[in-house]
Amino acid sequence: MLSELAIRDFAIIDDLQLNLGAGMTVLSGETGAGKSILIDALGLLLGDRADASAVRDGRDRAEISAIFDLTDAPAARTWLSDRELADESECLIRRVVSREGRSRHWINGSPAAGRDLRELGEHLVDIHGQHAHQSLLRPGAQRDLLDEHGHLAPQLAALGELVRELQACERNIHELDATDDAGQSRLELLQFQVAELQALAPVPDEWEALTAEHRRLANAEQLLRDGQSLLALLTDEDTASAIDRLGQAERQLGDLSALDDGFAGPAELISGARIQAQEAADDLRRQLDGIALDPERLATVESRMEAIQDLARKHQCRPAELPAQLDELTAALERLEGGRTRLAELQTRRDQLRTDYANTANQLHRARREAAGTLAAAVTEGLRDLGMPAGLFEIDVEARSEAPVSVSGHDRVHFRVSANPGQAPRSLERVASGGELSRISLAIQMAAVGGTPIPTLVFDEVDAGIGGGVAEIVGRCLRRLADQGQVLCVTHLPQVAAQARHHLQVAKQVVDGHTRTDIRALDDDARIEELARMLGGLEITERTLDHAREMRDRAES
C-alpha cells in the first residue's frame, strides 16, 4: 500500500507531501488543476520514461519519492528479498530527474536501474485509465489475472517444475552431445592419441633413467679408461700408490704420537684418510666392473629416447610429462565415451519430460478455458452495471503448438471487449475511449477481486462519459474494490467522490507570478463543500449543501 508520497519541483508541483491510507481515496478539483499530474508523478516513480519537461521551470531537478507498506504485498517482498534490498515491512523508492533529462533511482537507499523500478512497480501499483503504465494491456498480465481468478497456482507450479527439469536436461544434453562433426572429431582424436601413447607406454621417471643410462653408455670408453687410471693411482703395487703412502704416513705418525701426544690428532686424521681411500678404491672397482662397451644397448636407449621425444613434441610437452599426458587424455576419453551412454539416457528422459510437459500444459489450457468463461461472464455483467448496457467481454485462450516451452504454458490469453451495439469485440488496446477503458478495467478488477496481488489500484477518471445512477454504481464498485486494499481515484463526479473514505482536493494557484498545484486532505465539513461544488458549480446554495450531505450519508449507510 502507498503510505507516503513526496513530490518536489515536478511540472507545476512545488513541494508536496501526502500521507495516504487504506481504502478508497478520491482526488477532485477543477479541470486543469493538476489531478493527472499526481498520477504522472506516480507513474514516473514506477519507471515511466522521463525527460527534461518533468522538471519545474526554474529548477535544476525534480524529485519524487514514496514509501510503500509491504504488509499485503508478498510479491514485492519476495522481489526485494531476492535482490537483497528488503527492509523489514516498508519500501522506499526515490527518483531524481535532472534538467538535462537524466534520471537516478534508488530502492531502499541502494542505486537501482530504471527497469528495476518497472519490475518492482508492477508488484506495488496498477494504474488504470489513459496512462501508459497499465498492466491490463499486456498479454502476460491478462494471462496472470486469468490464472489468479481460476486459482491455477498448483497447475502452474507443477508445470514450472517440469520446465526447470526439462531445461536442465537439455543443457546437459547440449554439453554431452558429441554427435556433431566437432564432437566426433574430438572423440576420434582422443582415441588415436591414447592408443599411440599406450603403445609407447611411458612410465613415471623413465625419461630421467634413460638419460642417465644413455650418458653412461655413450661415455663408457672414457669412463673405463679414466676409471682404471684413477684406480691405479690409488692401489697400483708397482708404484708408490696413494693408499701405500697414506699407510706409511700413518705408521710414522703412530711412532711420533707415542713420544708426543701432540701428534695423535694428525695420526688419527691420516688413519681415517687411508680407510676412506681404500673404500673409494673398492667402490671405484665395483663401478668399473659394471661398465661395458654395449653398442646394441646404446642403440636401443637412443631409439626409445627418440620415440619419447617425437611424441612429446606432438603433444607440446616435455618428455618427462608424457605419462601424465597419457593419464589426462585417457580420463578425457573415458568421460566422452561415458557421456555417450549418459547422452542416450538424457535423451530418453528429455522425451518423457516433453510428453509430461505437453500433458500438463494441455490440462492447464482446459482449466484456463473454464476460468475464462466464468471471468468473461462476470466482467460482462459488470460492464452493463457500469453504463455499458450492450457491453460484451470475451477471453480467448489459444493453445499455440509452436510456442516454446514456458513456465506459463503454451497459451495465448487475449482479452477482447465490445462496448457498443453491433461492434465486434476488439483488443483492449484498441478501445478508443479512455473512459470506457477505465470502466472496463474496473469491471475486470471487480470480477477478479481477491485474485489480483497488487495492493494499490489507481483509476484515472473512470467516470468519463457517465453520470447519474451509473456514476453511483461506479463509486460503489470502487469502494467495494478498496475493501481488498487501496484504491486511488481521480474523479469529476460527486456520486463517485461521495463513496470514498478519504478525499483529497487538488487546486491550482498563482503565487508571485508562478503557477503551482497544491493538494490538501479534506475534513468532513470541507468534503461536503467539495461535493456541493462538484454538484452545483461555483455557486453553492443551501440546497446544494443539503444534497451533498444526503449523498454522503447515503454512501456511509
Side-chain angles (χ1 to χ4, degrees), residues 421-437:
Q423 181 184 65
R426 298 181 298 172
S427 301
L428 289 185
E429 59 269 23
R430 296 181 60 194
V431 174
S433 167
E436 287 179 346
L437 182 56

Side-chain angles (χ1 to χ4, degrees), residues 200 202 206-207 210 303-313 319-320 322:
L200 182 66
E206 179 187 12
W207 179 254
L210 286 171
S303 176
R304 177 68 175 172
M305 292 180 70
E306 184 178 356
I308 291 175
Q309 286 176 321
D310 287 344
L311 271 186
R313 281 192 295 270
L322 276 184

Side-chain angles (χ1 to χ4, degrees), residues 50-53 55 95-103:
D51 54 40
S53 63
V55 182
R95 184 172 186 180
V96 174
V97 181
S98 70
R99 169 61 62 186
E100 294 75 24
R102 294 189 297 269
S103 288

Side-chain angles (χ1 to χ4, degrees), residues 187-299:
L187 177 62
E188 293 173 355
L189 176 60
L190 281 174
Q191 288 172 336
F192 172 78
Q193 288 176 326
V194 168
E196 190 175 39
L197 283 168
Q198 286 176 338
L200 182 66
V203 296
D205 302 326
E206 179 187 12
W207 179 254
E208 291 79 2
L210 286 171
T211 301
E213 184 179 5
H214 179 269
R215 188 167 54 246
R216 184 172 62 254
L217 290 169
N219 297 281
E221 184 176 348
Q222 179 182 352
L223 291 171
L224 287 171
R225 183 183 65 248
D226 293 347
Q228 291 294 347
S229 177
L230 289 171
L231 186 60
L233 289 174
L234 290 171
T235 63
D236 193 347
E237 296 178 354
D238 296 334
T239 61
S241 67
I243 293 176
D244 288 342
R245 290 186 178 190
L246 286 171
Q248 183 180 354
E250 180 183 7
R251 289 190 297 272
Q252 289 178 353
L253 282 170
D255 293 341
L256 293 175
S257 61
L259 298 175
D260 185 347
D261 291 342
F263 289 91
E268 184 178 351
L269 291 174
I270 290 296
S271 177
R274 182 189 61 78
I275 294 171
Q276 289 184 343
Q278 185 62 57
E279 290 178 351
D282 294 340
D283 286 347
L284 181 55
R285 187 178 291 109
R286 284 191 296 271
Q287 185 67 21
L288 291 173
D289 289 342
I291 296 175
L293 297 175
D294 191 349
E296 292 184 1
R297 176 58 185 169
L298 178 59

Side-chain angles (χ1 to χ4, degrees), residues 26 55 62 73 142-143 185 191 207-208 283 317 333 380 408 465 471 530:
V26 296
V55 182
Q142 295 177 7
R143 183 193 61 234
S185 297
Q191 288 172 336
W207 179 254
E208 291 79 2
D283 286 347
C317 66
L333 179 60
T380 296
S408 58
E530 176 65 4

Side-chain angles (χ1 to χ4, degrees), residues 294-494:
D294 191 349
E296 292 184 1
R297 176 58 185 169
L298 178 59
T300 299
V301 170
E302 289 178 342
S303 176
R304 177 68 175 172
M305 292 180 70
E306 184 178 356
I308 291 175
Q309 286 176 321
D310 287 344
L311 271 186
R313 281 192 295 270
K314 289 178 65 174
H315 289 276
Q316 298 182 347
C317 66
R318 292 190 293 271
E321 296 173 349
L322 276 184
Q325 182 75 355
L326 173 58
D327 292 341
E328 182 179 339
L329 294 177
T330 300
L333 179 60
E334 289 175 351
R335 286 195 300 270
L336 191 54
E337 290 178 334
R340 303 297 289 273
T341 301
R342 174 65 175 154
L343 179 61
E345 295 173 351
L346 286 171
Q347 288 171 335
T348 300
R349 178 58 180 159
R350 177 194 59 191
D351 294 343
Q352 181 60 53
L353 286 170
R354 285 176 174 174
T355 299
D356 293 344
Y357 170 82
N359 292 337
T360 304
N362 288 335
Q363 293 173 4
L364 178 62
H365 172 74
R366 290 191 291 270
R368 279 173 171 160
R369 287 180 62 85
E370 182 177 350
T374 60
L375 179 59
V379 174
T380 296
E381 182 179 354
L383 291 176
R384 292 172 181 177
D385 288 340
L386 293 174
M388 297 182 184
L392 177 64
F393 188 80
E394 295 179 351
I395 301 177
D396 290 336
V397 182
E398 176 188 358
R400 297 173 298 162
S401 58
E402 75 285 358
V405 171
S406 168
V407 295
S408 58
H410 55 212
D411 292 330
R412 176 180 176 273
V413 176
H414 191 196
F415 288 1
R416 299 190 299 127
V417 66
S418 172
N420 303 302
Q423 181 184 65
R426 298 181 298 172
S427 301
L428 289 185
E429 59 269 23
R430 296 181 60 194
V431 174
S433 167
E436 287 179 346
L437 182 56
S438 294
R439 279 181 282 163
I440 292 167
S441 299
L442 176 60
I444 293 172
Q445 290 295 336
M446 287 301 303
V449 67
T452 176
I454 302 176
T456 298
L457 303 176
V458 179
F459 292 90
D460 188 6
E461 300 192 17
V462 296
D463 50 20
I466 62 173
V470 174
E472 186 171 349
I473 292 173
V474 169
R476 290 176 181 175
C477 288
L478 289 170
R479 185 184 181 98
R480 193 160 62 248
L481 189 60
D483 291 338
Q484 307 295 323
Q486 183 185 48
V487 168
L488 306 180
C489 175
V490 175
T491 183
H492 288 283
L493 294 181

Side-chain angles (χ1 to χ4, degrees), residues 525-538:
D525 290 340
R527 290 188 66 181
I528 296 301
E529 291 182 4
E530 176 65 4
L531 289 175
R533 183 198 64 78
M534 298 171 75
L535 280 167
L538 295 177

